[in-house]
Amino acid sequence: MAGKKPRIVAIDDEADFISMLEDYFRLRGYEITTTSKAVHGIELISNNKPDVVILDLKMPGISGDEILGLLKSRQPKAKVIFITAFDDAGKTKARLLNAGAYAYLDKPVESLKKLEDVINAAYSGK
Amino acid sequence: MNSSNIYYPLSGLINAFTSIILGLFVLSKNRSNIKHITYALFCLSIAVWSSFYFAWLVTDVEGVALFCSRGFMAGAIFIPCFYLHHIVTLLNLNVVKRRLIRLIYGFSFIALLANLTPDFVTGLTPRLSFKFWPIPGIIFNIFLPTWGFIAVYGAYLILKSYNNSIGVEKNRLRYVLIGTIIGWSGGATNYFLWYGISVPPFLNILVSVYIGIVAYAIVRHQLMDIEVIIKRTLVFAGLLASTFAIIVLPTLIIQEYLVGRAGFVVRLAGLTISGIFIIFAMQRIKDFLANVTDKFLFQKKYDYKELLKTFTSEVLTVLDLNKLVKTTVDKLSQIIKLDSCGILLFDENKGDYRLVASQGIKEKNIIMTPENTLVSFLSKTKTSLSTKLLEKGTKTPERIKEDMERLKFDLAIPLITIQGEMPGILTLGKKKSDEDYTQDDMDILLPLARTLAIAISNAQMFVELGETQAEAAQKDKMAVIGTLSAGINHEICNPLGIARGHCEAFLLNMKDGLYKDKTSEELIEKAQVIMGKVIHETDRATGITKRLSSFSKPSKDVVSEDVNIKHEIAEVLALVSYQMRLNKIDIVQDIGEDVPSIRADKKQIQQIFFNLIRNSAQAITERGKLTIRAKRVDGKVFVEIEDTGHGIPEDKIEQIFNPFYTTKEPGKGTGLGLFIVRQVVERNGGKISVKSKVGEGTTFLLEFPAAVKAKA
């Protein structure tokens, strides 16, 4: 895993979830910033210019959908990975992938290792 | 006159009185009915005969006696003629027997003419204690056998009809038959002395018995509604008879046994004693008879009152179909005092009528198809069928007769609903009193049957509704699961994902040597933090599953316990608030700390709040606020659930608690939510109301009595 690690922003209303992500990725040398307030997430994104954005779909205030839309118009380079417990038989997944999301993972994530792989793939694929 | 001879003129007098009173009475009831007319004529002939009979026996003058004996024969000549005519009309044979009747009338008129000649009553002669017994002439000798023949023939006609009749009609004819035999054999005792046979007319009085019995039978036969008048008349007659007996008996006893043959003074003394006796005893007799009258005449009215009362309060309110029919049969048999009673109900699945409740019917599994003669008669005519009706018609079909025997009924009433369907049949057997069903009975029973039909179809609908409700409730549950699933997924998967992630991160960090610069103390500390988090997250997940299971399995029986409103609302919000926040609904809680507990079933209260909160949330289409307030006012707890949703139009607000009323798209709601909510609220002693304004929102108001805190 040589080379530069991607810059990550994680937005999820579950504080415990993002703290767990922080624990894992920071130790591994990733630059990760997080927020549990979706509204702050937009600010975070425009300030940090992340390579990869980890997004929850359903959040109070603003939904992952809307953030995706913003990203596509403002920072089309950022890769968006959805991690969500929302399940509607793949309909939303297809829609989001169509709208430009890089990946769509179910909560709970299968493993952090896999998530890390997805993040790296998203980053290296750019 | 000697003592034994007093009886004979008296018997004539009583016969005369009885026949005049009953003849006029029966005639007055229906002057155009041939049965009544012939009966009145029959009574007239007996009255003429008996009056002259009395006069003949009391006179001391031979010429008067001869005149009177021809007089009573003038009456007697027409007795058989009117008798047969009456019997023939009574048995509805007047058309068939028209020629015979005409022949007998002709014969009687010839006899009447003959009676004017000495060839009928030749003269008078002393027989036994009778001074002037008539001597039969040659024409009398022809008349008498004809007289006997007609009597026997009449009895034969009655017997024949009796054998072919059923039910109450059979009873009635039994009366007539017995009456005929008694009457004619009594009357016949008058004719032995004519031929020198030493048998006095000792049974003459039985003629009155006959007239009475026939009057009873004919009136019952034709005029069911005047039963009360008949009884009143009988009581009046009883009063008259007892007064008469009181006047006459002491006079006679004194006269005949104490003083012997005596003059006017002694008779007067006897009368005086009777008079005194009457003065003292009359009031008591009158009271006694009035009592008897009251009991006898008005007993039935009380019964009717009881019947109506029992039915409106105890029977028709029963929603359990089985219980309804059983109670109906029990109460009807008990109050009307029936030998048997039954209810047949239409079985939707099997497509036939089945005996579902019975009393006094031996066969329990009676099943009748809609094609059955009896069933189709009732369902097509929608009128009741009674033995009375059948005997008037031409002939009872054998199949109906068989069913009548099986079901042991005298009266079958179809239970017809407003829609004109026949969900069942009510059968009523013979009354224990042997009385027929009168118009009075029908006036009560028919409306009762109509109400019963409604009650039965209500109960049936309730059963069906229960089934639909169970089905709908299942759908509703699925809808609830749908609503919950998003929230639940989030609430369960998140903590599990977090717990898993922390553990995985720790293990991977160890494996990848990321912790190699840490001391074992630091690692243990790290592990402790992670385990704490894992426990916290698994608790979160467990909590939600527990709530969910308690929610999805409401207990069947209402458990009454102290329920804390605030706590239950929190429980419900825990399940739905996440989803609501996602839908941009702000939840505002304003529940005072002093809100007391209520006595209710906790799970049902949760169910109520869940449904109301979900409803309110669904009413909010885009951003909104849901406010839950609870406060105490006096001994009551008021809860308001207010939303800023689309509101309910005024013309719809009345319907929202109706079953199956829904504003949601097809498939989205069953419409049972609020209907069930209201039921559950009421089951828990509460009330629910609603106010709403289109475009502004809706508020549901709940009111429960506060629980009374048990003193320690």
Side-chain angles (χ1 to χ4, degrees):
Chain A
M1 265 196 274
K4 212 178 147 225
K5 300 248 165 130
R7 208 166 32 237
I8 305 168
V9 165
I11 308 168
D12 195 308
D13 60 333
E14 281 282 340
D16 283 335
F17 180 74
I18 49 177
S19 82
M20 182 261 293
L21 291 180
E22 275 178 342
D23 264 10
Y24 182 84
F25 287 101
R26 206 160 279 161
L27 264 178
R28 280 169 174 71
Y30 293 85
E31 193 185 317
I32 179 166
T33 42
T34 63
T35 178
S36 60
K37 299 264 187 287
V39 198
H40 293 168
I42 298 169
E43 213 183 308
L44 217 59
I45 291 164
S46 42
N47 291 345
N48 288 25
K49 307 263 183 291
D51 301 306
V52 174
V53 178
I54 296 172
L55 264 183
D56 191 3
L57 180 62
K58 297 262 176 183
M59 287 176 293
I62 187 165
S63 75
D65 259 298
E66 288 166 282
I67 298 177
L68 175 68
L70 281 173
L71 274 170
K72 284 290 131 191
S73 61
R74 292 190 200 169
Q75 296 174 20
K77 279 186 276 176
K79 296 284 195 278
V80 178
I81 299 169
F82 277 101
I83 304 179
T84 178
F86 186 82
D87 181 16
D88 58 356
K91 263 193 267 171
T92 307
K93 182 177 178 177
R95 180 170 57 81
L96 291 172
L97 292 177
N98 217 26
Y102 179 78
Y104 185 100
L105 303 178
D106 285 328
K107 247 185 204 176
V109 279
E110 222 173 285
S111 81
L112 286 168
K113 191 89 191 143
K114 191 184 173 190
L115 176 63
E116 193 183 354
D117 290 347
V118 173
I119 289 170
N120 283 323
Y123 178 57
S124 59
K126 108 173 148 182
Chain B
M1 277 198 286
N2 68 27
S3 62
S4 60
N5 276 1
I6 284 161
Y7 161 76
Y8 301 110
L10 203 61
S11 70
L13 197 63
I14 290 172
N15 287 347
F17 265 120
T18 320
S19 54
I20 288 168
I21 291 171
L22 290 174
L24 286 176
F25 172 70
V26 169
L27 189 65
S28 73
K29 288 301 137 198
N30 193 339
R31 281 187 223 177
S32 53
N33 187 308
I34 186 76
K35 293 177 192 183
H36 291 242
I37 296 168
T38 52
Y39 177 77
L41 286 171
F42 174 58
C43 285
L44 176 72
S45 61
I46 290 177
V48 170
W49 166 61
S50 300
S51 307
F52 279 110
Y53 186 92
F54 169 73
W56 160 63
L57 284 175
V58 292
T59 186
D60 287 334
V61 184
E62 190 171 355
V64 175
L66 185 62
F67 172 76
C68 288
S69 60
R70 289 194 170 131
F72 75 63
M73 279 323 294
I77 282 165
F78 280 95
I79 293 175
C81 160
F82 290 140
Y83 158 77
L84 195 68
H85 194 181
H86 173 240
I87 291 299
V88 158
T89 54
L90 198 66
L91 302 175
N92 297 310
L93 297 169
N94 37 341
V95 181
V96 189
K97 304 288 178 193
R98 186 183 286 155
R99 288 176 66 185
L100 178 73
I101 296 297
R102 280 182 189 164
L103 186 72
I104 291 169
Y105 269 103
F107 173 77
S108 299
F109 275 106
I110 293 165
L112 186 67
L113 289 175
N115 191 29
L116 299 172
T117 72
D119 289 328
F120 204 81
V121 176
T122 314
L124 300 169
T125 180
R127 301 264 192 218
L128 297 178
S129 60
F130 301 95
K131 227 162 142 187
F132 310 119
W133 200 270
I135 302 161
I138 185 148
I139 299 173
F140 184 87
N141 292 338
I142 302 166
F143 166 76
L144 198 63
T146 317
W147 189 91
F149 163 76
I150 293 170
V152 173
Y153 183 68
Y156 161 74
L157 288 180
I158 300 169
L159 187 69
K160 211 168 90 176
S161 282
Y162 170 78
N163 283 335
N164 289 332
S165 63
I166 48 166
V168 175
E169 174 61 7
K170 201 164 183 123
N171 279 334
R172 210 181 284 128
L173 286 179
R174 191 184 296 137
Y175 282 130
V176 179
L177 188 63
I178 293 168
T180 307
I181 294 164
I182 291 174
W184 285 110
S185 37
T189 57
N190 280 305
Y191 292 92
F192 293 105
L193 284 179
W194 285 71
Y195 297 98
I197 303 159
S198 294
V199 178
F202 65 106
L203 293 178
N204 190 41
I205 191 72
L206 294 181
V207 172
S208 283
V209 175
Y210 171 51
I211 299 167
I213 289 173
V214 176
Y216 178 77
I218 187 180
V219 170
R220 307 253 6 165
H221 194 81
Q222 281 297 301
L223 301 154
M224 298 307 172
D225 53 340
I226 59 157
E227 182 189 357
V228 168
I229 305 167
I230 276 263
K231 283 175 182 169
R232 198 171 287 163
T233 311
L234 289 178
V235 171
F236 173 74
L239 193 66
L240 197 77
S242 46
T243 315
F244 189 73
I246 290 165
I247 295 172
V248 174
L249 281 176
T251 314
L252 296 184
I253 291 164
I254 289 167
Q255 197 171 292
E256 300 303 329
Y257 294 101
L258 299 181
V259 195
R261 284 171 182 276
F264 178 73
V265 178
V266 171
R267 287 190 190 188
L268 200 66
L271 271 176
T272 313
I273 292 170
S274 297
I276 292 165
F277 189 74
I278 284 169
I279 289 165
F280 286 103
M282 204 55 196
Q283 193 53 44
R284 275 163 186 257
I285 293 169
K286 207 181 132 198
D287 287 349
F288 169 76
L289 283 170
N291 258 335
V292 170
T293 317
D294 270 356
K295 255 192 190 168
F296 198 44
L297 297 188
F298 300 111
Q299 183 63 47
K300 207 167 216 173
K301 296 288 168 213
Y302 291 133
D303 284 350
Y304 282 156
K305 239 191 215 165
E306 193 194 335
L307 190 67
L308 280 182
K309 207 177 119 211
T310 313
F311 260 79
T312 44
S313 62
E314 287 177 42
V315 181
L316 299 177
T317 50
V318 178
L319 270 178
D320 177 335
L321 190 59
N322 252 332
K323 207 174 146 200
L324 173 68
V325 289
K326 288 210 164 65
T327 324
T328 304
V329 166
D330 284 354
K331 294 289 173 189
L332 275 178
S333 324
Q334 190 188 320
I335 297 169
I336 315 182
K337 298 182 178 65
L338 297 171
D339 274 352
S340 56
C341 181
I343 290 180
L344 291 126
L345 281 188
F346 186 67
D347 188 319
E348 291 271 349
N349 299 324
K350 309 265 165 51
D352 50 27
Y353 287 84
R354 281 152 195 263
L355 186 69
V356 288
S358 67
Q359 174 98 26
I361 300 173
K362 273 185 206 135
E363 210 180 322
K364 295 290 168 203
N365 294 317
I366 298 183
I367 298 169
M368 289 179 175
T369 61
E371 291 79 38
N372 171 291
T373 317
L374 172 69
V375 173
S376 65
F377 173 86
L378 292 171
S379 69
K380 277 178 192 146
T381 61
K382 296 185 176 30
T383 52
S384 58
L385 181 122
S386 71
T387 43
K388 181 194 140 211
L389 187 106
L390 279 175
E391 117 251 328
K392 272 189 188 163
T394 45
K395 211 171 178 192
T396 316
E398 279 305 316
R399 269 168 288 174
I400 289 192
K401 267 192 193 172
E402 275 167 30
D403 286 335
M404 288 180 109
E405 296 286 326
R406 278 173 84 199
L407 285 161
K408 281 186 74 186
F409 73 86
D410 278 3
L411 176 67
I413 306 175
L415 302 170
I416 304 290
T417 62
I418 303 162
Q419 291 80 27
E421 284 159 5
M422 185 173 82
I425 300 165
L426 173 68
T427 66
L428 302 167
K430 193 163 68 71
K431 288 187 199 168
K432 285 193 171 130
S433 63
D434 253 8
E435 284 173 307
D436 192 11
Y437 288 95
T438 63
Q439 193 56 47
D440 274 351
D441 289 318
M442 299 310 283
D443 284 347
I444 291 281
L445 288 171
L446 292 180
L448 207 73
R450 275 196 289 277
T451 334
L452 183 63
I454 295 166
I456 283 174
S457 64
N458 273 353
Q460 280 172 336
M461 250 147 67
F462 198 72
V463 172
E464 276 169 35
L465 186 66
E467 282 161 10
T468 338
Q469 230 181 44
E471 244 170 62
Q474 185 56 32
K475 276 188 201 158
D476 219 42
K477 248 186 206 166
M478 298 310 287
V480 169
I481 290 170
T483 310
L484 288 174
S485 69
I488 286 159
N489 219 19
H490 181 271
E491 290 294 305
I492 293 172
C493 293
N494 260 338
L496 291 178
I498 293 161
R500 190 188 184 286
H502 276 295
C503 295
E504 195 193 4
F506 182 80
L507 293 173
L508 286 173
N509 290 349
M510 286 285 283
K511 193 182 157 201
D512 295 347
L514 295 172
Y515 289 150
K516 60 180 178 238
D517 53 340
K518 296 216 190 288
T519 65
S520 45
E521 279 80 18
E522 278 173 330
L523 279 179
I524 287 169
E525 203 182 313
K526 183 90 191 158
Q528 274 173 342
V529 170
I530 288 169
M531 284 176 195
K533 279 182 179 173
V534 168
I535 287 168
H536 171 74
E537 297 301 330
T538 47
D539 283 352
R540 243 179 89 190
T542 315
I544 204 88
T545 51
K546 266 190 186 160
R547 273 193 202 110
L548 194 67
S549 72
S550 90
F551 195 80
S552 61
K553 283 184 272 174
S555 60
K556 275 184 185 165
D557 305 315
V558 177
V559 183
S560 220
E561 57 194 325
D562 280 353
V563 176
N564 181 316
I565 296 275
K566 190 176 179 142
H567 180 258
E568 299 322 318
I569 289 174
E571 285 289 302
V572 171
L573 286 177
L575 285 173
V576 297
S577 63
Y578 178 75
Q579 185 66 36
M580 285 169 72
R581 274 192 290 125
L582 291 184
N583 294 338
K584 305 184 179 72
I585 298 168
D586 290 331
I587 300 167
V588 179
Q589 286 190 64
D590 175 12
I591 301 172
E593 285 305 320
D594 65 328
V595 173
S597 295
I598 59 169
R599 284 299 283 182
D601 185 304
K602 198 166 159 181
K603 286 178 183 171
Q604 293 187 351
I605 293 297
Q606 282 186 1
Q607 200 189 349
I608 293 165
F609 286 134
F610 177 81
N611 275 287
L612 290 178
I613 290 171
R614 189 168 62 114
N615 255 313
S616 297
Q618 284 169 341
I620 299 170
T621 39
E622 205 172 321
R623 257 177 221 286
K625 195 166 82 175
L626 179 85
T627 313
I628 301 166
R629 292 185 204 91
K631 61 184 175 195
R632 149 187 226 158
V633 177
D634 297 326
K636 284 175 177 158
V637 176
F638 288 87
V639 184
E640 281 181 27
I641 295 167
E642 184 188 329
D643 66 60
T644 55
H646 47 59
I648 306 162
E650 232 171 272
D651 57 322
K652 299 276 161 52
I653 203 148
E654 297 274 310
Q655 302 170 38
I656 62 160
F657 290 110
N658 291 350
F660 308 113
Y661 176 77
T662 180
T663 53
K664 292 169 195 161
E665 289 163 46
K668 288 255 167 106
T670 56
L672 274 177
L674 286 173
F675 171 66
I676 292 173
V677 163
R678 190 177 62 178
Q679 281 188 334
V680 177
V681 168
E682 284 168 1
R683 214 180 295 151
N684 284 280
K687 286 182 200 158
I688 183 167
S689 58
V690 62
K691 54 183 186 190
S692 184
K693 204 159 191 186
V694 174
E696 286 184 20
T698 306
T699 307
F700 283 94
L701 299 129
L702 293 164
E703 180 189 327
F704 291 99
V708 181
K709 277 210 178 119
K711 280 182 184 145

